[in-house]
Amino acid sequence: MIDNISWLAIYPEIVLLTMACVIALVDLGVHSARRTGTYVLTMLTLAVVAALQGLYATGGNTFYGFGNMVVSDAMGNWLKCFATVAMMITLVYARPYAADRGMLRGGEMFTLSMFALLGMFIMISGNNFLVIYLGLELLTLSSYALVALRRDNATATEAAMKYFVLGAMASGFLLYGLSMVYGATGSLDIGQVFKAVNSGQIRHQVLVFGLVFVVAGLAFKLGVVPFHMWIPDVYQGAPTAVTLMIGGAPKLAAFAITIRLLVDGLLPLAIDWQQMLAVLAIGSLLVGNLAAIAQTNLKRMLAYSTISQMGFVLLGLMSGVVNGNVDATAVENAYSASMFYVITYVLTTLAAFGVMLLLAREGFESEEISDFAGLNQRSPLYAGIMSVCLFSMAGIPPMVGFYAKLAVLQALVASGQTLYMAMAVFAVIMSLIGAFYYLRVVKVMYFDAPLTASNVAAPADVRVVLTLNGALLLVLGLLPGGLMALCADAVVRALAT
């Protein structure tokens, strides 16, 4: 018999799943090319789900359901709330673009988006290896279909095939690693795995062997070097609306399962996985920033930018435990800094791709850096929003990206380790190099002659949401304390259990 606590733990997921099925059925009777009714119903559903997750998160309670297979805690609920809001913003930006390209003709886009979000929810709530893997597969299968949504577009189809092949390989890595950990510990429950590993009675070699494959699978989902091969090709090949869907909210879910598996389950092996994360972080910062310099396609440039940004997230994750010693303050600072970083990165990505989607016209993809020439003369507002996004990614004050980088670097330096301090210096140098390709786009927008004299027109909802999105990057940069405190409280509550 399933108790009330079990149902309480997954109420938002039940609402999301039910409405995704309802919308899929209702959409069969919709004949509008723009799918207005389906869009409105989807947005109302996501608003309700976001409100439910916000209520759960502010309550601050932690409870388990379905035999400890799922967990509802402050960190997970806030991440699910932010993921839902990110998906809502994505659909606002994506709808005009998708309608112009016939991507709404069948209505699958909204249903697949909701199933992708459901996969993220399951990943974030998973307290069991199989549940996490189930959520991961639901997200990735929906993502493959979304990338290939323009069936008559050869580039999108090619990107979907590359994504599918490499994604299947990464899923295999993760599943094999989890199976090795299960074989060593005898449990799929993350809490039981922690107790078994912490007992010290399991062969260390077997655990580390499984850990290598787990980290490799997580690295692919985060998109860090050397498991980054899919990101530039998929970002460039997928329709821009879908690029935003796979480059935004899923990063929150990837961060969540990294915390669940490595911190909640395998924290006694921190010395081992921190060394792996250090190598991944250094490679991501180096390759991401240097490769981005050579790009002329903005989507591809932002793909390499994502790789370098995820390198910063890994720097935060690897600085929580020093020499095997778990200090509550260090853990709180490190993991909350990473959580803050990934949330603000998703917010910045939404606005940057929102401007790109806005500039795209039917039959024209505004994805080359040269397409942004003279944007300030055509629309000072959207040029300003794009500049705020680029300054934030570069870590220039007073944008929120500056504080996000500063929080991660503070966590590194606070460890007192010479190696960590050297890595902080390396990260700063790489950020300085990265500033070049971000500022290059700003230069093109403000100092190059425009390719067309036409003004930039946008639907009212897109204009309002995009303006608020850009303003939030500045406001959070000036007043980051509230969100940082929220992240710290959520991390403390989650790890206390």
Side-chain angles (χ1 to χ4, degrees):
M1 182 176 179
I2 300 174
D3 55 39
N4 290 332
I5 291 294
S6 294
W7 292 118
L8 188 62
I10 62 166
Y11 269 144
E13 283 86 346
I14 293 173
V15 172
L16 187 59
L17 174 60
T18 303
M19 290 307 298
C21 295
V22 169
I23 289 170
L25 293 173
V26 169
D27 193 70
L28 294 175
V30 176
H31 303 293
S32 168
R34 301 188 74 85
R35 287 294 193 277
T36 303
T38 308
Y39 170 73
V40 171
L41 188 56
T42 301
M43 296 301 283
L44 287 175
T45 300
L46 294 179
V48 170
V49 170
L52 274 174
Q53 293 293 2
L55 287 173
Y56 274 37
T58 51
N61 299 317
T62 299
F63 44 88
Y64 297 83
F66 296 96
N68 284 343
M69 288 196 296
V70 296
V71 58
S72 174
D73 58 16
M75 184 189 75
N77 288 322
W78 276 123
L79 287 173
K80 286 190 282 186
C81 180
F82 292 138
T84 307
V85 173
M87 185 59 76
M88 292 176 68
I89 295 173
T90 298
L91 291 176
V92 170
Y93 295 159
R95 182 169 168 251
Y97 174 95
D100 289 342
R101 285 153 182 78
M103 294 169 63
L104 301 183
R105 210 172 291 141
E108 301 96 339
M109 183 172 176
F110 298 115
T111 306
L112 287 170
S113 299
M114 294 184 73
F115 278 116
L117 183 61
L118 179 61
M120 297 178 218
F121 277 24
I122 296 172
M123 290 167 65
I124 294 170
S125 294
N127 193 49
N128 181 284
F129 289 166
L130 288 181
V131 173
I132 288 176
Y133 189 73
L134 177 67
L136 180 63
E137 287 305 295
L138 181 56
L139 169 60
T140 52
L141 289 173
S142 301
S143 300
Y144 301 152
L146 283 167
V147 173
L149 203 55
R150 292 186 70 184
R151 292 181 288 273
D152 56 345
N153 187 289
T155 305
T157 305
E158 179 187 350
M161 287 299 296
K162 290 178 179 177
Y163 192 16
F164 173 74
V165 172
L166 293 173
M169 181 179 68
S171 295
F173 280 163
L174 183 60
L175 191 60
Y176 184 68
L178 293 177
S179 68
M180 290 293 295
V181 175
Y182 166 68
T185 61
S187 178
L188 295 170
D189 183 275
I190 289 178
Q192 294 302 318
V193 168
F194 175 84
K195 291 177 182 178
V197 175
N198 201 37
S199 69
Q201 298 176 357
I202 301 172
R203 291 182 60 187
H204 186 74
Q205 294 87 343
V206 177
L207 284 173
V208 172
F209 187 73
L211 181 63
V212 170
F213 284 94
V214 169
V215 172
L218 294 174
F220 179 90
K221 299 307 173 186
L222 287 168
V224 294
V225 173
F227 305 96
H228 66 290
M229 301 83 67
W230 64 278
I231 288 192
D233 290 339
V234 174
Y235 270 44
Q236 182 179 7
T240 307
V242 178
T243 301
L244 179 53
M245 286 185 185
I246 61 178
K251 291 292 186 275
L252 299 171
F255 168 81
I257 63 170
T258 303
I259 290 289
R260 299 288 189 214
L261 294 175
L262 298 185
V263 180
D264 287 352
L266 300 171
L267 189 61
L269 299 176
I271 292 179
D272 298 299
W273 56 256
Q274 282 180 326
Q275 294 175 15
M276 300 178 200
L277 295 188
V279 174
L280 296 174
I282 292 172
S284 300
L285 289 168
L286 184 65
V287 174
N289 285 304
L290 293 182
I293 293 174
Q295 306 306 315
T296 58
N297 182 282
L298 186 58
K299 286 166 68 175
R300 202 169 182 87
M301 190 200 86
L302 291 177
Y304 283 107
S305 165
T306 295
I307 295 167
S308 67
Q309 301 288 345
M310 290 301 104
F312 261 96
V313 174
L314 293 184
L315 289 179
L317 290 171
M318 58 164 281
S319 59
V321 180
V322 181
N323 293 330
N325 299 317
V326 180
D327 178 74
T329 303
V331 166
E332 175 187 341
N333 291 339
Y335 300 146
S336 63
S338 287
M339 182 176 172
F340 181 87
Y341 198 104
V342 76
I343 290 171
T344 54
Y345 164 74
V346 170
L347 186 66
T348 308
T349 298
L350 290 170
F353 277 95
V355 175
M356 201 182 305
L357 287 165
L358 185 63
L359 295 181
R361 303 186 297 276
E362 187 173 358
F364 175 74
E365 299 288 339
S366 181
E367 58 183 50
E368 297 294 328
I369 294 177
S370 58
D371 295 334
F372 284 73
L375 179 59
N376 182 57
Q377 299 176 40
R378 298 171 57 200
S379 174
L381 173 63
Y382 300 127
I385 293 173
M386 191 66 178
S387 298
V388 168
C389 296
L390 295 167
F391 287 148
S392 182
M393 291 181 185
I396 297 175
M399 310 309 165
V400 69
F402 167 76
Y403 188 81
K405 284 181 168 59
L406 179 63
V408 169
L409 294 174
Q410 285 176 331
L412 271 176
V413 173
S415 68
Q417 298 292 300
T418 303
L419 175 62
Y420 285 8
M421 291 184 181
M423 292 183 68
V425 172
F426 176 77
V428 171
I429 294 173
M430 289 297 104
S431 294
L432 290 174
I433 293 174
F436 166 77
Y437 57 82
Y438 293 122
L439 296 178
R440 179 180 61 184
V441 181
V442 176
K443 174 260 179 188
V444 169
M445 290 192 298
Y446 281 88
F447 298 105
D448 286 11
L451 300 177
T452 175
S454 61
N455 293 325
V456 181
D461 57 342
V462 176
R463 184 168 61 249
V464 171
V465 173
L466 189 56
T467 303
L468 292 174
N469 194 169
L472 200 55
L473 298 177
L474 181 58
V475 171
L476 286 175
L478 295 172
L479 303 169
L483 181 57
M484 193 68 211
L486 181 150
C487 293
D489 179 70
V491 167
V492 169
R493 288 178 181 272
L495 299 183
T497 56

